[in-house]
Amino acid sequence: MDVDVPLPVHPFLSLFICVIGYVVTLFLMIYFTEFLRENKLMKIAIQESEKMTVVSELAASIAHEVRNPLTVVKGFIQLIEKEENSSNKQYMKLVLSELDRAESLISDYLNLAKKTEIQKKPIDISDLIKSIHSVIQSYSNINGVRIQTSIEQKLYVLGDMGKLKQAFYNILKNGIEAVLDDQGLVEIKVYRSLRSVHVEFSDNGIGMNDDELLKIGEPFYTNKESGTGLGVMVTKAIIHDHGGSISYESTLRQGTLVKVSLPLINLD
């Protein structure tokens, strides 16, 4: 009677099968990990896009309707102020100041609502930051805040001058306003890496705790009494539209660091 005897398996074949199994398993694990990560990032991006859409639609529906009567009221107040000789002038100035603030808030809404195409051209970020520093110098002096700069020269990006100026101005202004005493300090650093231009703004202001840091950039979230949080949203949108990134690091009562990175271009 014949008996079937199993053929011996070559040890190298067994090792090869094990290696193939290990590689396939590792590949599948990496694939599913990346798949889940990309799904999470896509979900976050969709949520951010939905928030921006809601705020933009709200802005478009009310901003123009509110701005028109404000402009009329402001014009009449300015006329009355010129003719008024009594002590009521101080009240007129107060009214005009509040109207200016209201117009500023409406402008933030309008900036969110606008879907204008960005006109990109080579921009020297070093010169741009210097010009913003010059413009805001008097405001920082009034608030008792000293500004220190360390700017590497001739660093170029492809972008919209007006949009980037607005974004950096918002960041710098927020840093100045975060300082509560007359020993305030805001430091600006501009430098390059292999493929990016980095602009950092650090202050020794009130800072933020972990919960506040997670909420920054959300619609209508702000830790300023007279703010709306829309300025941060506009800033983040501008940086992202330029292919860059922006991040915030902060410690309560120790200050905040804002890091902006933009793609570097070489004009040589």
Side-chain angles (χ1 to χ4, degrees):
M1 183 178 180
D2 295 333
V3 178
D4 292 333
V5 178
L7 296 173
V9 179
H10 198 283
F12 286 107
L13 178 61
S14 177
L15 179 61
F16 177 75
I17 293 172
C18 289
V19 170
I20 292 297
Y22 175 78
V23 170
V24 170
T25 302
L26 183 61
F27 173 79
L28 289 174
M29 288 176 63
I30 294 173
Y31 174 79
F32 282 114
T33 301
E34 286 298 310
F35 177 77
L36 292 173
R37 188 180 70 86
E38 288 179 5
N39 262 2
K40 184 178 180 180
L41 292 175
M42 187 179 297
K43 184 178 179 181
I44 293 173
I46 291 172
Q47 289 174 343
E48 290 294 323
S49 177
E50 288 175 348
K51 290 176 184 177
M52 288 290 292
T53 300
V54 170
V55 176
S56 297
E57 289 176 354
L58 177 63
S61 64
I62 68 172
H64 287 292
E65 297 301 325
V66 175
R67 171 173 269 182
N68 290 337
L70 277 182
T71 303
V72 174
V73 171
K74 184 177 179 181
F76 277 112
I77 293 293
Q78 287 172 330
L79 287 174
I80 295 172
E81 184 190 21
K82 291 179 181 178
E83 299 175 359
E84 185 65 54
N85 296 319
S86 67
S87 59
N88 288 335
K89 272 197 170 184
Q90 61 180 331
Y91 300 118
M92 300 294 182
K93 290 181 179 179
L94 180 61
V95 171
L96 288 172
S97 174
E98 290 303 301
L99 286 173
D100 286 339
R101 190 167 73 88
E103 283 188 334
S104 175
L105 297 179
I106 291 172
S107 294
D108 284 341
Y109 279 99
L110 287 173
N111 285 328
L112 285 175
K114 288 178 182 175
K115 298 297 181 183
T116 54
E117 184 179 350
I118 293 178
Q119 302 296 326
K120 293 184 178 181
K121 62 180 182 180
I123 297 171
D124 188 339
I125 286 292
S126 307
D127 287 344
L128 178 62
I129 295 299
K130 288 177 183 177
S131 68
I132 294 171
H133 179 205
S134 299
V135 169
I136 209 169
Q137 186 70 56
S138 59
Y139 182 72
S140 65
N141 290 338
I142 291 171
N143 286 271
V145 178
R146 187 163 46 92
I147 299 177
Q148 288 184 349
T149 61
S150 173
I151 301 176
E152 190 175 330
Q153 302 301 310
K154 302 299 180 184
L155 300 180
Y156 292 91
V157 303
L158 198 62
D160 185 301
M161 174 74 79
K163 296 285 187 183
L164 287 176
K165 185 175 289 187
Q166 179 187 4
F168 290 130
Y169 182 86
N170 285 346
I171 296 171
L172 185 53
K173 186 171 180 286
N174 284 342
I176 293 171
E177 292 174 348
V179 179
L180 297 178
D181 54 40
D182 58 358
Q183 300 297 318
L185 175 64
V186 174
E187 295 182 88
I188 308 172
K189 294 181 180 179
V190 183
Y191 60 96
R192 65 173 292 170
S193 61
L194 185 61
R195 297 181 179 177
S196 300
V197 175
H198 304 279
V199 186
E200 297 183 358
F201 301 84
S202 60
D203 65 71
N204 61 349
I206 57 175
M208 294 175 281
N209 58 35
D210 291 341
D211 290 336
E212 291 172 327
L213 199 56
L214 287 173
K215 293 179 181 177
I216 192 166
E218 291 187 1
F220 310 113
Y221 176 77
T222 179
N223 54 8
K224 295 191 292 187
E225 291 183 3
S226 60
T228 62
L230 296 177
V232 177
M233 287 189 68
V234 170
T235 298
K236 292 179 74 172
I238 290 172
I239 299 301
H240 291 157
D241 286 344
H242 283 77
S245 64
I246 180 170
S247 63
Y248 292 80
E249 299 175 11
S250 189
T251 303
L252 195 61
R253 291 184 292 276
Q254 292 186 25
T256 300
L257 171 63
V258 183
K259 297 180 176 180
V260 176
S261 295
L262 294 167
L264 174 71
I265 62 171
N266 191 355
L267 297 183
D268 297 334

